[in-house]
């Protein structure tokens, strides 16, 4: 290669590095801008000493100045965690099937079905849940629109994310891991679940946290199937309202402290997602340190 060609490659690498840094900085500034906007809109109710009302009020009664977010926060976490408990084993099992068991034509078709499931709009999930799932649950324990329905719908929605990220994590595990397991006399199932899946746990956990973030932020489907009653759930069959649905239902007509309290809801959701991102980064850093 000539000197001019080498010089061009160096310039291209420098330009790529500069543009990558600029895009990363822009992304960080955008997140900070969103957080600042939410904080500015929520500031009136936070500075007036009313922030205690978000945990101590008798309930969510905006017209009376009572803004207890605790029941909706509990419902949000319960629905998301319940969906993850359902989607994670199914997603990992799907990834194991795709990587180690399915013939190539079946694996390709199954992967396309999972991708198609990921592309279905949330309102379609909500409509199906409202017309099919909610009546089925109502036959067991009325009214049907409940925390359980929200968990099941969210599990369906985040399953493709868990399955596809888990498949990518398993595909990145070196083949020598499997060869070593077989050489030690381990069975195929033991090799897969005791060696290969644990070796891919960093990628699987990252995908699970990504899916958890989507579950926390989902609005329309949960709004349609959860029942939208502001209460602490005593069972899976109780109607609940999640934080995102509360914002969607009331933002159009909210004013004053009511409007500011809805932006506090947005801050709470952003804090939850930020905590998930921090946890994922910490876990990934720990995995890298252990690998070295």
């Amino acid at each position: 290669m000539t000197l001019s060609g080498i010089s061009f490659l160096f310039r291209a690498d420098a330009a790529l590095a500069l543009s990558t840094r600029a895009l990363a900085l822009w992304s960080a500034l955008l997140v900070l801008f969103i957080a600042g906007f939410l904080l500015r809109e929520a500031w009136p109710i936070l500075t007036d000493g009313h922030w205690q009302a978000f945990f101590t009020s008798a309930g969510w009664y905006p017209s009376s100045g009572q803004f207890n977010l605790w029941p909706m926060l509990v419902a949000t976490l319960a629905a998301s965690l319940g969906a993850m408990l359902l989607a994670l084993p199914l997603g990992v099992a799907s990834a194991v099937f795709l990587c180690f068991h399915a013939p190539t034509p079946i694996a390709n078709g199954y992967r396309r079905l999972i991708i198609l499931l990921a592309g279905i709009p949330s309102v379609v999930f909500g409509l199906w849940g409202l017309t099919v799932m909610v009546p089925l649950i109502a036959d067991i324990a009325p009214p049907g629109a409940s925390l359980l329905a929200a968990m099941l719908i969210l599990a369906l929605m985040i399953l493709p994310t868990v399955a596809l990220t888990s498949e990518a994590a398993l595909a990145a595990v070196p083949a020598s891991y499997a060869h070593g397991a077989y050489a030690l006399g381990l069975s195929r199932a033991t090799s897969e679940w005791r060696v290969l899946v644990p070796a891919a746990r960093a990628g699987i956990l990252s995908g699970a946290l990504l899916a958890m973030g989507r579950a926390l932020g989902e609005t329309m489907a949960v709004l349609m199937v959860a029942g939208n009653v502001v209460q602490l759930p005593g069972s899976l069959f109780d109607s609940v309202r999640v934080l995102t649905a509360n914002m969607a239902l009331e933002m159009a007509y909210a004013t004053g402290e009511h409007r500011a309290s809805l932006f506090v809801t947005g801050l709470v959701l952003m804090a939850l997602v930020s905590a998930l991102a921090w946890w994922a980064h910490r876990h990934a850093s720990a995995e890298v340190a252990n690998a070295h």
Side-chain angles (χ1 to χ4, degrees):
M1 183 177 291
T2 63
L3 290 177
S4 59
I6 295 174
S7 176
F8 173 78
L9 289 178
F10 277 119
R11 288 197 301 270
D13 287 342
L16 179 60
L18 180 62
S19 60
T20 301
R21 293 191 185 97
L23 289 173
L25 178 61
W26 172 250
S27 299
L29 290 175
L30 184 60
V31 173
L32 291 176
F33 172 78
I34 294 172
F37 172 74
L38 292 174
L39 185 60
R40 186 193 71 178
E41 296 297 326
W43 195 250
I45 198 169
L46 293 175
T47 55
D48 287 344
H50 294 165
W51 62 269
Q52 298 94 335
F54 294 112
F55 303 98
T56 60
S57 296
W60 180 264
Y61 306 109
S63 59
S64 303
Q66 300 185 58
F67 306 105
N68 193 345
L69 292 177
W70 184 245
M72 290 179 283
L73 178 59
V74 171
T76 300
L77 293 174
S80 300
L81 289 173
M84 181 54 61
L85 290 175
L86 294 172
L88 186 58
L90 291 174
V92 174
S94 295
V96 170
F97 172 74
L98 285 171
C99 289
F100 307 126
H101 293 275
T104 300
I106 295 177
N108 291 336
Y110 187 61
R111 189 178 296 107
R112 289 190 180 95
L113 286 176
I114 295 176
I115 294 172
L116 178 62
L117 185 64
I120 296 176
S122 61
V123 68
V124 176
F125 278 107
L127 183 63
W128 177 81
L130 183 64
T131 56
V132 177
M133 186 180 297
V134 168
L136 291 175
I137 297 175
D139 291 338
I140 302 171
S146 59
L147 176 60
L148 177 60
M151 288 179 179
L152 294 174
I153 285 294
L154 285 176
L156 284 175
M157 297 180 70
I158 66 176
L159 177 60
T161 301
V162 177
L164 294 174
T165 54
S166 297
E167 183 200 4
L170 287 172
V173 175
S176 59
Y177 283 43
H179 297 160
Y182 296 147
L184 291 172
L186 298 180
S187 67
R188 184 175 184 180
T190 303
S191 300
E192 291 168 358
W193 292 102
R194 296 296 182 89
V195 177
L196 301 179
V197 171
R201 64 181 180 272
I204 292 173
L205 179 60
S206 297
L209 292 175
L210 179 65
M212 185 75 174
R214 183 189 180 185
L216 287 170
E218 179 52 44
T219 303
M220 184 57 65
V222 182
L223 187 152
M224 297 174 72
V225 303
N228 298 312
V229 178
V230 182
Q231 62 177 350
L232 282 171
S235 74
L236 292 175
F237 300 102
D238 285 346
S239 296
V240 295
R241 180 186 291 185
V242 298
L243 292 171
T244 51
N246 189 56
M247 297 174 67
L249 287 169
E250 301 187 6
M251 183 58 75
Y253 61 87
T255 58
E257 289 186 346
H258 183 193
R259 184 175 184 273
S261 69
L262 295 178
F263 279 97
V264 172
T265 304
L267 281 174
V268 172
L269 283 169
M270 193 166 187
L272 290 174
V273 175
S274 298
L276 281 176
W278 172 81
W279 186 23
H281 173 72
R282 182 178 178 182
H283 186 273
S285 300
E287 289 291 335
V288 171
N290 292 334
H292 292 290

